C-alpha cells in the first residue's frame, strides 16, 4: 500500500520552537510515509523548510508547496483575517494532490508513528470509514531531555519509547448522542487518516471554513453527512509536541452541548461547490526534495 501524509504550517513562529518541532515532524514523517506533502501556508518571507532543510534527511518522497500571500489572497477573496487562519485550505491543496491509497492530514506539531505499526493498523481499517488517531501529549523539555537538544536521526525507536514513558495520553472530548466519536480537542494537532476514496467523497475540509471553528471536527461531520463511518483510534503511538499554554484550553468548564461553536459543528451544512474542493483550478507547483 502507498501512504501519503499532508502536513501544514504557517511560517509565523507560532507557539515558539517552530523550527525544532518541524524538524522532528519532517524527519519522522519521511521515515513513515511513501509521500510527504508539506504545505507552507501564507509565507510572508520564505518557507519554513528553507530554514531547517540541512537538518532533514530527505529521501525523495518529500514534496513542498508554498502558498504565497498572493495565492492566499486569491483563495480567500482578499480577506486579511482568513489569510491568517485558513490552514484548512492548505490541507485541501495537499490532499487533492496526494497520490497514496491512504491519506493522512495533520500539522507540524506531530511526531509520526513507525511505519510497520501504522501499516499494521491500516490493514485492519475499513476503506469507507473516517478515522482520527488520538495523540499522546509531550512537550519540548521531554524531547530535549532525551538527547540534550541534538537531532539524532538514527534513534527514532528509542525516542518513541522514551516519549511513551514520559507522555500523557489524550482522549477525545466529546461523543454525540448517537455514539459518533468527534474529536473536540483542546489543543491543535489532530491526526486523521482515511482511504483516498473517503477523502475524495467528502472533498476534504469545508472550503468555506476560513475562520477558527474546530476544522478537525467539521471534516468528521462531513464524513457522517456522506454516510461514511466515523471512528476514533488510540494506536499506534503518535505524539503532539505541545507549545504555548498547555492544559485544557478555552473549552474547559463549558457545557459543550450548549456551546455555540459545538452546535455549529453539529448542524453546519456543506458547501454547494462540489467541483474544486481542493482548489484544483489554482495552479500551484510542487518542489521535490
Amino acid at each position: 500500500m502507498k501512504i501519503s501524509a499532508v502536513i501544514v504550517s504557517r511560517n509565523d513562529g507560532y507557539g515558539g520552537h517552530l523550527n525544532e518541532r518541524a524538524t522532528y515532524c519532517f524527519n519522522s514523517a519521511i521515515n513513515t510515509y511513501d509521500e510527504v506533502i508539506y504545505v507552507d501556508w501564507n509565507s510572508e518571507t520564505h518557507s519554513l523548510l528553507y530554514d531547517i532543510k540541512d537538518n532533514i534527511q530527505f529521501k525523495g518522497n518529500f514534496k513542498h508547496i508554498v502558498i504565497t500571500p498572493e495565492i492566499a489572497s486569491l483563495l480567500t477573496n482578499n480577506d486579511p483575517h482568513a489569510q491568517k487562519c485558513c490552514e484548512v485550505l492548505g490541507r485541501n491543496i495537499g490532499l487533492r494532490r496526494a497520490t497514496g491509497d491512504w491519506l493522512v492530514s495533520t500539522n507540524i506539531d506531530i511526531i509520526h508513528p513507525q511505519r510497520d505499526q501504522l501499516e499494521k493498523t491500516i490493514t485492519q481499517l475499513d476503506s469507507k470509514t473516517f478515522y482520527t488517531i488520538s495523540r499522546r501529549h509531550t512537550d519540548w523539555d521531554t524531547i530535549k531531555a532525551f538527547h540534550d537538544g541534538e537531532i539524532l536521526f538514527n534513534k527514532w525507536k528509542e525516542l518513541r519509547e522514551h516519549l511513551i514513558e514520559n507522555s500523557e495520553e489524550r482522549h477525545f472530548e466529546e461523543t454525540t448522542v448517537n455514539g459518533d466519536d468527534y474529536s473536540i480537542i483542546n489543543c491543535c494537532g489532530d491526526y486523521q487518516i482515511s482511504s483516498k476514496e473517503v477523502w475524495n467523497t467528502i472533498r476534504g475540509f469545508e472550503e468555506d471554513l476560513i475562520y477558527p471553528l474546530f476544522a478537525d471536527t467539521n471534516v468528521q461531520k462531513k464524513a457522517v453527512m456522506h454516510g461514511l463511518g466515523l471512528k476514533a483510534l488510540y494506536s499506534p503511538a503518535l505524539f503532539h509536541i505541545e507549545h504555548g499554554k498547555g492544559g485544557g484550553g478555552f473549552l474547559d468548564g463549558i457545557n459543550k452541548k450548549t456551546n455555540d461553536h459545538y452546535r455549529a459543528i453539529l448542524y453546519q451544512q456543506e458547501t454547494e461547490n462540489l467541483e474544486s474542493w481542493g482548489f484544483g483550478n489554482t495552479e500551484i507547483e510542487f518542489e521535490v526534495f
Side-chain angles (χ1 to χ4, degrees), residues 24-288:
Y24 279 91
C25 174
F26 291 156
N27 279 319
S28 64
I30 288 169
N31 283 310
T32 296
Y33 307 105
D34 302 292
E35 177 183 55
V36 178
I37 300 177
Y38 167 49
V39 184
D40 188 288
W41 176 263
N42 199 26
S43 292
E44 296 180 358
T45 54
H46 60 273
S47 173
L48 166 70
L49 183 64
Y50 296 129
D51 291 335
I52 62 174
K53 61 184 179 64
D54 290 343
N55 289 323
I56 306 299
Q57 282 194 321
F58 296 108
K59 295 182 178 179
N61 62 340
F62 193 102
K63 298 178 179 179
H64 180 215
I65 299 175
V66 177
I67 307 301
T68 65
E70 292 76 19
I71 295 177
S73 179
L74 173 67
L75 296 180
T76 59
N77 295 319
N78 299 309
D79 184 333
H81 180 76
Q83 292 168 28
K84 290 295 184 181
C85 69
C86 54
E87 294 182 8
V88 292
L89 305 189
R91 294 192 191 192
N92 277 357
I93 287 167
L95 288 164
R96 179 69 170 80
R97 291 156 176 77
T99 61
D101 306 302
W102 289 80
L103 310 184
V104 168
S105 173
T106 190
N107 68 12
I108 207 163
D109 304 303
I110 294 293
I111 294 179
H112 296 263
Q114 290 180 264
R115 170 69 186 214
D116 59 341
Q117 295 174 351
L118 182 60
E119 194 169 292
K120 181 179 179 181
T121 295
I122 289 176
T123 60
Q124 303 172 31
L125 301 185
D126 174 23
S127 63
K128 295 186 182 298
T129 297
F130 190 92
Y131 297 93
T132 300
I133 301 181
S134 177
R135 307 133 306 134
R136 300 183 69 96
H137 159 71
T138 188
D139 55 37
W140 188 242
D141 289 338
T142 301
I143 294 173
K144 286 201 302 183
F146 177 69
H147 53 54
D148 196 26
E150 294 183 30
I151 307 298
L152 302 181
F153 296 114
N154 299 320
K155 290 194 174 182
W156 283 112
K157 181 178 179 181
E158 292 88 341
L159 174 59
R160 287 187 177 96
E161 291 174 352
H162 172 75
L163 293 179
I164 287 175
E165 294 175 0
N166 296 278
S167 64
E168 170 191 352
E169 187 170 349
R170 286 183 177 258
H171 294 279
F172 297 111
E173 294 289 321
E174 190 63 75
T175 300
T176 59
V177 291
N178 62 353
D180 290 329
D181 290 312
Y182 286 89
S183 59
I184 314 295
I185 57 173
N186 56 11
C187 66
C188 62
D190 251 5
Y191 181 102
Q192 292 153 336
I193 180 168
S194 295
S195 69
K196 188 175 181 64
E197 176 184 359
V198 166
W199 285 107
N200 283 339
T201 298
I202 65 177
R203 296 177 175 86
F205 290 80
E206 175 58 51
E207 67 181 34
D208 291 332
L209 197 67
I210 58 177
Y211 296 95
L213 185 59
F214 297 113
D216 295 316
T217 306
N218 170 265
V219 75
Q220 297 173 55
K221 177 63 177 177
K222 289 185 69 177
V224 173
M225 291 170 66
H226 280 273
L228 300 168
L230 185 67
K231 188 173 180 59
L233 303 175
Y234 295 92
S235 64
L238 63 104
F239 306 92
H240 174 247
I241 307 174
E242 191 66 85
H243 52 87
K245 292 184 178 180
F250 74 98
L251 277 180
D252 276 7
I254 297 176
N255 183 344
K256 300 179 185 65
K257 294 294 185 184
T258 60
N259 179 270
D260 287 343
H261 291 296
Y262 183 66
R263 286 202 304 270
I265 294 162
L266 293 182
Y267 300 111
Q268 181 166 355
Q269 298 300 305
E270 279 193 291
T271 176
E272 295 180 358
N273 179 358
L274 301 180
E275 297 301 323
S276 59
W277 64 267
F279 296 91
N281 296 330
T282 301
E283 294 296 330
I284 299 173
E285 299 294 329
F286 279 125
E287 180 181 21
V288 179

